[in-house]
Amino acid sequence: MNPEIIRSLQELLPQIQGYIYPNEIEIHWGLLIVVYPYITGVVAGAFILASLVKVFNVKEVQPLYRLSLLTALAYLLVAPMALVSHLGHPGRFYEILLTPQTSSAMAMFGFVYAWYLMAVLLLEIWFVHRTDMIDMAENSTGATRLLYRALSLFSKDKGERAVAFDHKALKVITIVGIPSAFLLHGYVGFIFGSIKANPWWSSVLIPIVFLFSAIVSGIALVVLLYMIITPLTGGKINMKCVDKAVDFLFYAVIVDFSLEMVDFIHRVYQSEEEIKILSEMVMSKLFLSLIIVQVLLGMLVPLLLISLTKIFKKRFSLNEDMRKMVYFISVILIQFGIFATRWNVVIGGQMFSKSFRGLTTYKMEFGGIEGLLYAIVLLALPIAILFVLMKVLPPWKELREEGETGTEALGGAGM
């Protein structure tokens, strides 16, 4: 046997409890499979936030529209890296499209991904920035001019009919994009929920829980980025916009929390043979990540903080800085909570034995393809890509203008 595997088993064996089968000693879905649903969830959530403007006509969150789309694109570009890296042989990734296995939900991800990237996100971003790219091509020279001309597909039409067509196309694409976003992330929950042999995953509520936690993570991340980027670029945060986005976030967290509680109560009510080992796993192996991080810090504390801004609305309306601080802390905690949710589903589902008599453990490495360092790189990469995207397709002007307008409106409303 490989000496590294022997050393790994020697470290794991003392931490194993009860009786487990030999093939359950080592957990096969590691940190990359935790990162993968987290990233796809952000993509879906950010797009849903953008759709509030174009489909549901929520004008207050207009400043977040372009930022949401660019955030979704940045995370979408990184999403398959975690999965392909975990599967090994990343150079063969194209074979999933050339030799499709229609009976495999995982394999169909390639088509869902391609559809969402090419037919939804890139197309919507192009229509949003088309006239801006024409302007930037006209006002620049050399390679920059050529770049923007190429990005605009050499379009020069800024007439009323062309702009009106852009708006109509955007609305249609966004409407098509909403179920596509649900499909992109919902299938991840579908895969887990379909594994009947694992009672921790086998639940009809898992795909719905994944969807709402995706909406929560996407909205929270875009709000967090907006609150960081706007002051750094000399703009002023539009609190009317943030208030409205946090309202949606608040209700999404409530629904997400309620679904998870219903799922938990249903498992306890059923009290099937696995309930004892699952309870033991939650109270020992997952106590920190599930009870403390996911439930307490990731859900209850943000809900309490945002509730305070609503209960004491007058006091928080007068103190804008305090409201910003509460929102800022809440969205950061929610990110940790959602990541912990992914961890508890993926890692937790592999920690108990199919014999229902033992628990194994997960030893996270620092280096290597399945290690912590690579996972951190994957989590940081979308931010770097977003930085480049914002340089090429800057939302700064819109953010500043909307921030100033929103602030004036807020002042006029006596907030």
Side-chain angles (χ1 to χ4, degrees), residues 4 42 60 230 305 311 329 334 351 373:
E4 290 186 8
V42 169
E60 291 90 341
T230 305
L305 289 174
I311 295 170
I329 293 172
I334 285 172
M351 277 189 166
L373 182 61

Side-chain angles (χ1 to χ4, degrees), residues 52-53 56-63 402:
L52 292 175
V53 177
F56 302 103
N57 204 28
V58 183
K59 295 295 183 186
E60 291 90 341
V61 295
Q62 175 71 38
E402 293 292 343

Side-chain angles (χ1 to χ4, degrees), residues 209 213 260 294 299 336-346:
V209 169
S213 60
E260 291 187 26
Q294 179 184 333
M299 285 191 176
F336 282 108
I338 295 298
F339 191 83
T341 304
R342 310 300 184 224
W343 173 279
N344 295 322
V345 170
V346 176

Side-chain angles (χ1 to χ4, degrees), residues 128-412:
V128 169
H129 292 274
R130 190 185 69 85
T131 54
D132 291 344
M133 289 188 291
I134 295 173
D135 289 338
M136 286 186 278
E138 291 174 351
N139 298 326
S140 56
T141 57
T144 307
R145 179 187 178 89
L146 183 61
L147 171 66
Y148 284 113
R149 287 196 65 188
L151 287 176
S152 65
L153 302 180
F154 301 95
S155 170
K156 294 182 180 179
D157 192 352
K158 295 192 295 181
E160 290 184 6
R161 290 184 63 183
V163 173
F165 179 80
D166 289 348
H167 289 304
K168 287 180 183 176
L170 281 173
K171 192 163 186 176
V172 172
I173 294 168
T174 310
I175 291 173
V176 173
I178 292 174
S180 302
F182 281 8
L183 187 61
L184 179 70
H185 192 67
Y187 100 95
V188 181
F190 172 81
I191 289 175
F192 284 107
S194 301
I195 302 177
K196 296 177 182 177
N198 191 318
W200 185 248
W201 293 336
S202 181
S203 167
V204 293
L205 286 177
I206 283 284
I208 305 171
V209 169
F210 264 65
L211 279 177
F212 274 93
S213 60
I215 294 172
V216 168
S217 65
I219 295 177
L221 184 67
V222 173
V223 171
L224 176 64
L225 291 172
Y226 174 71
M227 295 183 75
I228 293 173
I229 291 171
T230 305
L232 290 178
T233 56
K236 195 166 185 177
I237 293 174
N238 182 339
M239 285 309 293
K240 189 176 180 181
C241 163
V242 177
D243 286 334
K244 196 67 177 179
V246 170
D247 278 348
F248 286 108
L249 177 63
F250 179 67
Y251 298 125
V253 173
I254 289 176
V255 175
D256 184 32
F257 181 66
S258 303
L259 286 171
E260 291 187 26
M261 285 299 101
V262 168
D263 186 42
F264 171 75
I265 294 169
H266 184 247
R267 290 175 190 275
V268 174
Y269 180 74
Q270 279 187 314
S271 292
E272 294 185 354
E273 65 272 17
E274 73 274 6
I275 191 67
K276 186 178 178 182
I277 192 68
L278 292 182
S279 303
E280 189 178 340
M281 181 180 72
V282 169
M283 297 311 294
S284 57
K285 301 284 184 180
L286 299 182
F287 184 80
L288 178 63
S289 60
L290 198 153
I291 304 297
I292 302 297
V293 180
Q294 179 184 333
V295 177
L296 183 62
L297 296 178
M299 285 191 176
L300 295 180
V301 172
L303 279 176
L304 177 64
L305 289 174
I306 299 173
S307 298
L308 289 175
T309 65
K310 297 182 177 300
I311 295 170
F312 303 103
K313 190 172 183 179
K314 188 175 180 181
R315 179 172 298 180
F316 276 94
S317 297
L318 294 173
N319 194 332
E320 191 174 281
D321 289 336
M322 184 179 289
R323 209 157 80 249
K324 284 180 191 173
M325 185 181 68
V326 168
Y327 291 162
F328 192 76
I329 293 172
S330 299
V331 292
I332 289 177
L333 288 176
I334 285 172
Q335 289 305 311
F336 282 108
I338 295 298
F339 191 83
T341 304
R342 310 300 184 224
W343 173 279
N344 295 322
V345 170
V346 176
I347 303 297
Q350 303 171 81
M351 277 189 166
F352 66 93
S353 171
K354 301 300 181 296
S355 67
F356 297 147
R357 288 190 292 166
L359 293 170
T360 185
T361 190
Y362 172 63
K363 180 178 177 294
M364 184 168 57
E365 299 175 353
F366 180 75
I369 201 71
E370 292 282 350
L372 177 63
L373 182 61
Y374 187 63
I376 292 174
V377 170
L378 286 181
L379 290 172
L381 190 55
I383 302 299
I385 293 174
L386 179 62
F387 177 78
V388 175
L389 288 174
M390 288 192 295
K391 284 286 185 184
V392 178
L393 303 171
W396 313 119
K397 183 180 175 182
E398 183 183 58
L399 288 175
R400 288 197 190 101
E401 288 177 350
E402 293 292 343
E404 288 164 5
T405 306
T407 305
E408 289 167 7
L410 200 62

